[in-house]
Structure formats: structure tokens, C-alpha cells
Amino acid sequence: MKEERFSPEQSLQLIQSMISKTREAMSDNSIYFLVWGWITFIACISQFMLKHVYDYEKHYLVWLLTIVGIAFSIYQGRKEEKAIKVRTYVDESMKQLWGGMAISFFVLSMILTKLGWGTAIFPFFILLYGLGTFVSGSIIRFRPLIFGGLIAWVLAVASTFVNYDYQMLFGAAAILISYIIPAHLLRIKKEKAEVNV
Amino acid sequence: MFKDLDPILHSQLRLAVISLLISVKEAEFTYLKEKTNSTAGNLSVQIQKLKEVGYIDVTKQFKDNYPQTICKITHAGIRAFEQYVKDLQTYLGKSTRA
């Protein structure tokens, strides 16, 4: 790019082209949705099987699977940190949102440990999933995530009508609809966008 | 003819840098170099000028033993860019009416 006088029209074109370049900068978050989606989905289904079908007492141990998710997130986060050249407000907001969500899940676990896990755990967890995906969808303007969040909220209320065991299946359904399906769609969209570049 | 346009911003490379920084939180020197398709030498000079007038903040740090330069637009930079775009619109308005 040379240093020379240029017209207001050229100025405007330059501004537009630079701003459109930063749009490509948004990083692909779908990998986190996929990993966490599948981990929590498998945990819900396994817990249901262990408790309801096999009558295993320590069915809740399946949630230790989340350690894999945490390890993956730390590893992936560090890897991205090394490669990162630009920080967008969208990436920053997503990071803050999911950091806050992780803390909320932890706080909720502590509250329910005190109050008893019995009846309310899954409705509350689904409620939080709904919030996370709804806001994420709004930030990155991706409708399947927004709809996923709305459906999760409906499932949160619906799950209060069934007993604890079946709430696990509602949890699995909420994760499938609000996380896994939108994350796969996001991946497909991203891949298509890359082919078209 | 363009005497009202901010001379700091009415320069291709400086305007390109500010336009990139306006829509992100911060960017590395190498990112700006790649997107503006400029040489490191020229880009350094223009970034220094933008820093001198207070339109951008420049932080130098080390990441994995490599030096890294991070640029971020300031409030003054955002105001200057908004004013520049307004002035540009006035010019373009005049030229289409003429």
C-alpha cells in the first residue's frame, strides 16, 4: 500500500474493505460446543442407564467425564492463544459468557449439594444451558443456537413434570437440540464459507 | 480540496490500520501487516505516527520468547475516525449534488 493522496471515494472503499476483512477474524467456537455437547449428552444418557436400567448406586460418577472437557478446553485455549493475532469483541464476549456459565454451573452444584440434588438439578441445568446458547446465538447471529436456547427453556419447564430419572433424558434432549445440532450446523456453515473464500 | 479531512487519517495505510482496529479489541502487528498488505518498515512508521497523535495504543511484549507488538485504538482514535467518516460523507454529498 503506497502513501499517496487519494479521493474520498477511495477512502470509503478502503474503510469498507478493511472492516469486511475483520469479519473473517471471528474464530470458530463450534469445537467447544461439540466437545462439551457430546460429553454432557453421553453423561446424561449413561447416568440414566446406570440409575434407571442397572440400578447402580453411584450413577452420578459419570459426571467425572467433565474433567475431559475441562482438560480439552484448557489445552485448546492455550493452543489458540499461541496462534491468535487479533482479538474481536465477539470472541471476548463469548469467552466471558462461557467463563461466567462455568462459574454458574459450579455455584449451582454447591447450592444443590446443600439443598439436596433430589428433584431440581436438571431443570436448573437446562435453564442455564438455554441462557448460554441463547446469548451465544445472539452474539454470533446464528439462529439455530437462538432457537436451541428457546427450546431448552421449554424443556426446563417440561422436565419438572417427570421424575428425576426421566429428567436426565430431558437434559440429554436439551443438549442435543441446543448444543450438538447447532454446533454441527455452525461447522458446516464455517466450512462452506471457507470453500467460498 | 481535502483540507478539512484529518491529514493523519487521510493517508491510505494509516486509514487502513484505523479501519481494522475500529472493529476489533486489539490486533498484532503481523495481523495488520497481512491485512493491509504493507511492508513492515512502512507499517512501523505509520503506526508510530498514529501513536504519536494518540489515536492508537501500542504495547510491546514477549510471547514464547518472540517479541510481539499489539495495537489498540484509543477513544481519541475512535472520535477522529467518526469525524473523518462524517467529513467524508459531506464531501461525497457535495460531489453527488454538483
Side-chain angles (χ1 to χ4, degrees):
Chain A
M1 209 170 275
K2 284 181 208 159
E3 271 309 288
E4 56 188 33
R5 284 282 170 209
F6 63 124
S7 72
E9 285 84 358
Q10 285 172 312
S11 264
L12 208 62
Q13 276 169 8
L14 179 66
I15 294 169
Q16 279 165 350
S17 88
M18 288 299 138
I19 288 177
S20 70
K21 278 185 183 179
T22 59
R23 279 208 199 113
E24 302 156 11
M26 203 185 79
S27 51
D28 180 10
N29 295 303
S30 62
I31 185 78
Y32 292 99
F33 281 101
L34 281 176
V35 169
W36 278 104
W38 282 112
I39 285 175
T40 44
F41 181 79
I42 291 166
C44 283
I45 299 284
S46 312
Q47 195 185 9
F48 176 79
M49 295 294 281
L50 288 177
K51 187 171 186 295
H52 195 78
V53 182
Y54 299 107
D55 217 6
Y56 180 61
E57 219 173 279
K58 293 179 177 172
H59 51 84
Y60 48 83
L61 286 178
V62 292
W63 288 98
L64 288 173
L65 265 176
T66 51
I67 294 170
V68 177
I70 294 167
F72 170 80
S73 297
I74 294 171
Y75 166 78
Q76 182 71 12
R78 286 208 179 144
K79 204 171 99 184
E80 281 174 13
E81 188 70 25
K82 277 185 186 169
I84 205 166
K85 283 181 172 181
V86 60
R87 273 175 217 280
T88 64
Y89 288 105
V90 167
D91 291 338
E92 204 69 5
S93 313
M94 290 289 269
K95 217 165 122 186
Q96 304 283 7
L97 170 67
W98 288 101
M101 290 294 294
I103 295 168
S104 301
F105 280 124
F106 181 68
V107 170
L108 183 62
S109 306
M110 295 215 304
I111 293 171
L112 291 169
T113 303
K114 179 81 181 158
L115 296 180
W117 291 74
T119 52
I121 167 102
F122 281 98
F124 283 126
F125 272 105
I126 299 170
L127 169 73
L128 278 181
Y129 286 139
L131 178 67
T133 47
F134 179 80
V135 176
S136 296
S138 309
I139 293 174
I140 63 170
R141 291 188 198 135
F142 189 60
R143 278 201 183 152
L145 272 173
I146 298 176
F147 289 133
L150 294 172
I151 295 168
W153 282 330
V154 174
L155 288 174
V157 177
S159 67
T160 59
F161 291 94
V162 297
N163 70 29
Y164 183 74
D165 290 7
Y166 288 98
Q167 283 180 2
M168 295 169 194
L169 295 181
F170 272 81
I175 290 157
L176 185 69
I177 295 165
S178 69
Y179 267 45
I180 299 175
I181 295 173
H184 280 287
L185 293 175
L186 194 60
R187 265 233 117 110
I188 293 168
K189 190 185 162 193
K190 185 90 187 173
E191 276 162 15
K192 268 189 194 161
E194 276 164 9
V195 169
N196 291 336
V197 164
Chain B
M1 185 192 168
F2 305 125
K3 66 178 192 295
D4 290 333
L5 290 172
D6 185 343
I8 294 290
L9 293 183
H10 197 65
S11 130
Q12 285 202 28
L13 189 47
R14 288 194 295 268
L15 183 62
V17 168
I18 287 287
S19 305
L20 286 171
L21 291 178
I22 195 95
S23 41
V24 300
K25 190 168 178 269
E26 56 187 35
E28 248 184 59
F29 182 85
T30 47
Y31 176 82
L32 298 175
K33 184 172 163 281
E34 186 188 310
K35 295 292 170 191
T36 56
N37 218 354
S38 59
T39 62
N42 193 8
L43 184 60
S44 292
V45 173
Q46 305 314 328
I47 281 179
Q48 189 56 33
K49 275 188 190 164
L50 288 169
K51 190 189 162 196
E52 277 165 16
V53 293
Y55 287 180
I56 64 170
D57 266 337
V58 179
T59 322
K60 290 194 181 192
Q61 61 181 44
F62 279 90
K63 191 162 89 174
D64 296 332
N65 290 327
Y66 284 99
Q68 194 186 34
T69 306
I70 296 165
C71 305
K72 197 175 169 177
I73 195 163
T74 61
H75 287 295
I78 294 172
R79 275 200 301 276
F81 180 77
E82 283 170 352
Q83 189 57 49
Y84 179 81
V85 172
K86 266 187 205 163
D87 294 342
L88 214 55
Q89 282 166 343
T90 320
Y91 267 109
L92 292 172
K94 270 182 198 163
S95 63
T96 49
R97 252 177 269 141

